[in-house]
Amino acid sequence: MAKPKKTPRPKAETPKGFRDYFGAEVTQRTEMLRKIAAVYHRYGFDALESSGVETVEALGKFLPDVDRPNEGVFAWQEDADLEKPGDWLALRYDLTAPLARVYAQHQNDLPKPYRRYAMGPVWRNEKPGPGRFRQFYQCDADTVGASSVAADAEICAMLADCLEEVGIERGDYIVRVNNRKVLNGVMEVAGLAGDDKEAERGIVLRAIDKLDRLGPDGVRALLGEGRKDESGDFTEGAGLSETQIEKIMSFATVNEHISFVLERQEVPESVAVRFPGLAQAAIGAGSLKDGRPSIEGRGNEQSGKLWNVAAIRALSTLVAGSEDGEAGLNELLTIVDLLEPLGYGPDRIVIDPSVVRGLGYYTGPVFEAELTFEIKDEKGRTRNFGSVAGGGRYDDLVKRFTGQEVPATGVSIGVDRLLAALDAKGRLDKTADGPVVVTVMDKSRMADYQKMVADLRQAGIRAEVYLGNPKNFGNQLKYADKRGSPVAVIAGEDEFQNEKVQIKDLILGAQIAENATLEEWQARENQYEVDRGDLVSEVAKIIQRQA
């Protein structure tokens, strides 16, 4: 008789694209979410916790920045093997699509406008890479039912406040603002308006978004007949005429021209032909404190104001004659006018035509928070940290459920990106807040040890009794070290008879071992005896001293 095959043991490994988080990492994220939630709450937003699973139909085709929106989700069909299978369900890929469903379902019971914030994990079935995971946290705030551009301005101000609340200093970030209507105006002037040009507009959007990676020549090729990459693969282009391409490229490279003009305070003939309004922006500009007003250069009041003026004038040239484009410019000006008196000037929030990511998803103002400081990447190269948050106005999302346009605007903050930024700046406390460990010298005294722990906990001090094998006392102290414990409490037969306890200051002990000379080590004893009644107050003093 054949022996039954043994069931193979499962591999103890995380699935590809996922990771586990331990101790301090979880605590750090929780603290960051708490701080951001406090800002959202202060602005009058209410918390919402929606389901992590939605129907694929409800999620729809609104996944930003993905060519095939229905791809990229983790989905399954209920009762797929039955004659009448059930709905297709999917893990949510963001927190905005569920909001649209919640609002449409409960709109009769919700205040209008409805202001909500939500925090939690989202899942995307995309190819993972360095720092790119299939599960990550988002932290969103949205206003649904307010058409006023004041709602967009408020989101920008709140985003700036959130960054500063979590420890990103002013001058280390900039909130960049653009408007989808401006790009609509550019498209209209270039002859790409209308339903019959939707495919071409999609190619144009994706081409502009690749400017940093492909450069002007690569984008120009995608706007024309197409482009062959280094591997030989050919990407079909939008098939635009030279005149159309020139108009789109003027928009795509407008930041380069603005920077040139403000740096040199002159307008070369080639730029003057494209952007007549820039000549006025250059007159009387004076020398710029930070030189070329790149992202970094816009991080002060003077250069930021000059940049905003130049950007508006350049864009007004590009959208002249387009009602939609001019409306977008007016909205940008309104945002600036609303924010500057409140202290959110161009050192924090600026108009930036280069913000194009996700413009296929948004319908009005769009914003992106970028960290401006430099870091070293995994290959030792210096680069800017980059974007940590984004959002904008999306007036069409709820319409899918209700048939009626419902205005909405919001922002999503990448919590994991922010944690990585604080880590890169050395502003993240990586030390775990370990518990006080009460060691066990006599197992028959377990009730006494538990009473010590209870007294500490009632005083708000994190504490635990060592519950491993107490036979080897050295292992108990090793355990306390591994937990990052600030104090170990020691009590044996002599201590119980005399109503005493031994206090071992583990943090001080580590400092002495690392830095002190023999004389200093002998003079700074890190273990001493106190009365049992003074246990809580003595431990509290040590923890307070180390805080």
Side-chain angles (χ1 to χ4, degrees):
M1 181 177 178
K3 292 183 179 180
K5 292 183 178 180
K6 291 183 178 180
T7 303
R9 292 178 180 148
K11 292 182 179 179
E13 59 183 16
T14 53
K16 189 176 182 180
F18 295 84
R19 61 158 297 192
D20 302 311
Y21 296 85
F22 296 91
E25 294 175 303
V26 178
T27 302
Q28 290 158 2
R29 181 199 288 138
T30 301
E31 178 63 12
M32 177 171 285
L33 292 174
R34 184 194 66 77
K35 290 179 179 179
I36 295 174
V39 176
Y40 288 165
H41 187 76
R42 192 160 67 237
Y43 271 74
F45 289 77
D46 287 334
L48 170 68
E49 186 173 312
S50 61
S51 169
V53 175
E54 297 282 345
T55 66
V56 170
E57 180 185 30
L59 288 176
K61 299 181 179 181
F62 280 83
L63 180 60
D65 311 320
V66 173
D67 293 347
R68 294 173 294 172
N70 276 336
E71 303 287 336
V73 297
F74 289 99
W76 65 95
Q77 189 176 25
E78 284 191 303
D79 302 324
D81 55 344
L82 298 183
E83 184 177 346
K84 290 185 178 180
D87 292 332
W88 275 92
L89 304 178
L91 294 174
R92 63 190 181 196
Y93 56 71
D94 71 1
L95 298 175
T96 308
L99 170 63
R101 189 267 305 162
V102 167
Y103 183 84
Q105 182 177 349
H106 301 284
Q107 59 181 311
N108 292 335
D109 302 318
L110 295 174
K112 295 180 178 59
Y114 176 52
R115 298 156 66 85
R116 84 87 175 87
Y117 69 88
M119 302 175 177
V122 298
W123 297 267
R124 296 191 182 179
N125 189 8
E126 299 172 342
K127 184 177 181 180
R132 185 182 182 89
F133 297 99
R134 288 170 166 170
Q135 175 180 319
F136 53 94
Y137 263 73
Q138 285 190 338
C139 193
D140 289 16
D142 298 78
T143 299
V144 182
S147 59
S148 170
V149 73
D152 303 285
E154 179 185 58
I155 293 288
C156 291
M158 186 169 66
L159 176 53
D161 284 354
C162 284
L163 294 177
E164 295 183 19
E165 182 71 19
V166 302
I168 303 297
E169 295 177 352
R170 200 171 301 184
D172 278 345
Y173 75 89
I174 197 77
V175 177
R176 307 186 295 148
V177 187
N178 196 7
N179 197 305
R180 171 62 194 266
K181 293 176 184 176
V182 172
L183 183 55
N184 289 347
V186 173
M187 297 278 199
E188 182 181 344
V189 171
L192 295 174
D195 294 340
D196 59 328
K197 299 292 184 181
E198 183 176 356
E200 289 91 335
R201 290 197 298 272
I203 295 174
V204 168
L205 277 172
R206 291 190 290 274
I208 294 174
D209 197 24
K210 296 174 182 176
L211 180 64
D212 288 345
R213 183 163 59 88
L214 301 181
D217 291 341
V219 173
R220 186 179 288 274
L222 289 175
L223 296 177
E225 296 304 314
R227 176 182 177 273
K228 183 181 290 188
D229 62 22
E230 295 177 355
S231 69
D233 290 339
F234 183 79
T235 302
E236 187 176 350
L240 306 186
S241 68
E242 280 300 318
T243 301
Q244 290 175 309
I245 291 174
E246 188 62 28
K247 291 183 183 296
I248 299 298
M249 290 303 299
S250 293
F251 173 80
T253 59
V254 63
N255 273 11
E256 178 185 342
H257 298 297
I258 295 171
S259 293
F260 182 92
V261 167
L262 293 184
E263 179 186 8
R264 291 170 173 76
Q265 298 164 43
E266 62 179 84
V267 186
E269 184 176 351
S270 60
V271 177
V273 170
R274 278 186 176 185
F275 309 104
L278 276 183
Q280 299 175 29
I283 295 173
S287 60
L288 293 181
K289 179 180 179 181
D290 290 338
R292 178 172 177 158
S294 60
I295 294 296
E296 294 86 349
R298 278 169 259 173
N300 67 72
E301 199 74 16
Q302 180 193 13
S303 62
K305 286 184 177 180
L306 292 173
W307 181 275
N308 280 347
V309 170
I312 287 294
R313 287 175 176 165
L315 291 174
S316 65
T317 301
L318 295 176
V319 301
S322 167
E323 184 176 339
D324 205 19
E326 292 173 358
L329 278 182
N330 286 331
E331 289 179 358
L332 289 176
L333 283 169
T334 300
I335 289 174
V336 170
D337 289 343
L338 288 172
L339 292 178
E340 282 198 7
L342 304 178
Y344 299 91
D347 58 329
R348 303 165 77 183
I349 300 172
V350 295
I351 296 170
D352 194 331
S354 71
V355 180
V356 296
R357 178 173 293 276
L359 279 181
Y361 174 76
Y362 295 109
T363 59
V366 58
F367 20 87
E368 185 173 271
E370 183 165 336
L371 303 188
T372 58
F373 56 80
E374 293 182 339
I375 61 168
K376 298 285 187 181
D377 65 15
E378 62 275 5
K379 295 183 179 180
R381 297 170 299 192
T382 299
R383 62 178 179 85
N384 278 354
F385 190 90
S387 176
V388 294
R393 178 163 289 277
Y394 53 97
D395 289 346
D396 293 337
L397 199 55
V398 180
K399 185 178 180 180
R400 297 176 49 246
F401 296 94
T402 64
Q404 299 175 333
E405 186 175 283
V406 178
T409 185
V411 67
S412 180
I413 297 176
V415 175
D416 296 309
R417 288 277 294 166
L418 267 181
L419 286 170
L422 291 173
D423 188 18
K425 292 291 283 185
R427 298 177 190 162
L428 205 57
D429 183 7
K430 294 185 177 182
T431 58
D433 181 19
V436 172
V437 172
V438 175
T439 61
V440 176
M441 305 291 290
D442 182 351
K443 287 193 292 186
S444 67
R445 291 279 193 170
M446 184 58 74
D448 295 308
Y449 295 128
Q450 293 285 7
K451 180 64 169 66
M452 294 180 194
V453 165
D455 291 344
L456 291 166
R457 290 170 180 166
Q458 288 172 8
I461 297 172
R462 190 180 182 206
E464 64 173 80
V465 174
Y466 179 74
L467 296 176
N469 186 348
K471 191 172 182 180
N472 188 324
F473 183 72
N475 286 344
Q476 298 193 52
L477 294 182
K478 288 179 182 178
Y479 172 82
D481 283 335
K482 198 164 188 177
R483 294 299 312 276
S485 303
V487 174
V489 178
I490 304 167
E493 183 179 352
D494 289 343
E495 283 79 18
F496 282 117
Q497 286 181 354
N498 298 314
E499 296 188 0
K500 302 284 186 179
V501 292
Q502 295 284 332
I503 300 291
K504 190 173 185 63
D505 187 334
L506 297 175
I507 303 299
L508 177 58
Q511 293 171 349
I512 292 173
E514 183 176 353
N515 302 314
T517 65
L518 177 61
E519 293 76 13
E520 290 172 330
W521 182 83
Q522 292 172 337
R524 297 174 65 191
E525 183 61 55
N526 70 307
Q527 181 173 327
Y528 51 93
E529 189 175 76
V530 299
D531 290 339
R532 169 63 179 87
D534 294 333
L535 168 65
V536 172
S537 60
E538 192 63 30
V539 170
K541 272 192 272 184
I542 293 173
I543 292 175
Q544 183 64 35
R545 188 167 63 242
Q546 295 167 354

